Amino acid sequence: MKGFVVLLITVAFFDASTGEPSPEIIPVEGGLSGDGITTRYWDCCKPSCGWADLVNNTRFKTPVHTCAIDGIEIIDPQQQSGCADVGAAYTCSNQQPFVVNSTLAYGFSAVSFTGGEDYHMCCSCMLLNFQGQLSGKKMLVQITNTGSPLAVNQFDIELPGGGVGIYPHGCMKQWNASETGWGDTFGGVHSDAECSELPAVLQPGCHFRFQFMEGVSNPPVTFQQVQCPRELVAITGCEY
Ligand SMILES: *[C@@H]1O[C@H](CO)[C@@H](O)[C@H](O)[C@H]1NC(C)=O
Ligand SMILES: *[C@@H]1O[C@H](CO)[C@@H](O)[C@H](O)[C@H]1NC(C)=O
Ligand SMILES: *[C@@H]1O[C@H](CO)[C@@H](O)[C@H](O)[C@H]1NC(C)=O
């Protein structure tokens, strides 16, 4: 009986013409949509949708998981960010992008829709439709972070080795990275080969930029709000 159920699910989620996995993507009626810009980062800090005290002011019921220094153990959402002097909460290493099929990936992103800090869409999901050189490829991201440097409709995609940005201390403390992180402070490593500078657990998400994203830097997007796939909710523990 169990085998029968698995077979049904498998058939339902494959594209008949390409033979590749093809999960159903469900738009949110009346949801957000528009044109956006992208940047990238991996600063190892606690993502700001991980703050417990936001829960009563936002739609999500539980904050985004944050991890101990090993990047694996999920810790108390009251714990301060590892990017602060006394903090010990870091980005969980599994909050990195992964490929679903040759034209679709899942991942996580910081975002602002208003310019600056913008918590109201924490844990919602957006389908990013890459434009320009990457057109034809899409990335479905769950929003885990926001912050004051962000512009309106700016998606700062979580890509290991994508640059530590304005918070260099997290990766120094968590992974002994240099003061500038890996590669440039803004933008990160320059090639697929340089991904070997990262800890092994973060290398797949670094390769993702040079493989699935073909090394295209900061592609523009159109975006549309969609229901979050359960795979992403399972990783962050946060449901919009
Ligand atoms: C990947 O999955 C998406 C969503 O189901 C689907 O639209 C797309 O056609 C798939 N890509 C391929 C190459 O099968
Ligand atoms: C959220 O609200 C509930 C009910 O009012 C309260 O018990 C809880 O302490 C609040 N949580 C935070 C983190 O403020
Ligand atoms: C970072 O360096 C310290 C001191 O040399 C060492 O104890 C620790 O294991 C290193 N951590 C990692 C993740 O490499």
Side-chain angles (χ1 to χ4, degrees), residues 52-53 55-56 78:
D53 55 7
V55 168
N56 284 351
Q78 305 284 359

Side-chain angles (χ1 to χ4, degrees), residues 43-67:
D43 62 11
C44 304
C45 305
K46 172 179 183 143
S48 58
C49 301
W51 288 109
D53 55 7
L54 288 174
V55 168
N56 284 351
N57 304 319
T58 45
R59 253 192 75 162
F60 61 82
K61 307 293 186 294
T62 53
V64 168
H65 286 327
T66 51
C67 281

Side-chain angles (χ1 to χ4, degrees), residues 66-91:
T66 51
C67 281
I69 198 157
D70 64 1
I72 299 169
E73 186 200 343
I74 295 162
I75 58 169
D76 182 352
Q78 305 284 359
Q79 180 57 252
Q80 257 293 339
S81 173
C83 292
D85 287 343
V86 294
Y90 298 89
T91 308

Side-chain angles (χ1 to χ4, degrees), residues 49-217:
C49 301
W51 288 109
D53 55 7
L54 288 174
V55 168
N56 284 351
N57 304 319
T58 45
R59 253 192 75 162
F60 61 82
K61 307 293 186 294
T62 53
V64 168
H65 286 327
T66 51
C67 281
I69 198 157
D70 64 1
I72 299 169
E73 186 200 343
I74 295 162
I75 58 169
D76 182 352
Q78 305 284 359
Q79 180 57 252
Q80 257 293 339
S81 173
C83 292
D85 287 343
V86 294
Y90 298 89
T91 308
C92 298
S93 298
N94 63 357
Q95 288 175 24
Q96 54 180 305
F98 56 97
V99 171
V100 174
N101 66 34
S102 57
T103 57
L104 177 70
Y106 285 172
F108 305 91
S109 184
V111 78
S112 178
F113 296 105
T114 55
E117 286 187 0
D118 176 14
Y119 290 99
H120 80 294
M121 297 306 287
C122 271
C123 301
S124 65
C125 285
M126 302 286 157
L127 182 63
L128 307 181
N129 197 349
F130 291 123
Q131 305 294 300
Q133 276 175 282
L134 263 191
S135 76
K137 287 189 173 175
K138 296 176 187 189
M139 186 169 182
L140 198 168
V141 293
Q142 188 179 34
I143 293 160
T144 52
N145 202 353
T146 181
S148 52
L150 294 172
V152 173
N153 292 353
Q154 178 180 355
F155 292 84
D156 201 11
I157 301 173
E158 281 194 71
L159 295 172
V164 293
I166 59 176
Y167 297 109
H169 294 110
C171 297
M172 289 171 73
K173 283 164 71 181
Q174 191 181 12
W175 300 113
N176 294 336
S178 76
E179 272 173 47
T180 53
W182 303 284
D184 298 331
T185 306
F186 293 92
V189 301
H190 309 95
S191 68
D192 204 19
E194 283 181 24
C195 291
S196 63
E197 294 169 17
L198 274 67
V201 69
L202 296 180
Q203 288 180 18
C206 183
H207 292 308
F208 174 88
R209 173 150 70 93
F210 299 97
Q211 295 174 8
F212 184 86
M213 291 184 73
E214 304 170 30
V216 175
S217 186

Side-chain angles (χ1 to χ4, degrees), residues 10-57:
T10 307
V11 169
F13 289 101
F14 273 80
D15 181 303
S17 61
T18 63
E20 296 192 38
S22 179
E24 190 180 6
I25 298 176
I26 305 164
V28 171
E29 225 176 289
L32 290 181
S33 62
D35 296 324
I37 58 169
T38 67
T39 45
R40 58 180 180 267
Y41 84 106
W42 186 274
D43 62 11
C44 304
C45 305
K46 172 179 183 143
S48 58
C49 301
W51 288 109
D53 55 7
L54 288 174
V55 168
N56 284 351
N57 304 319

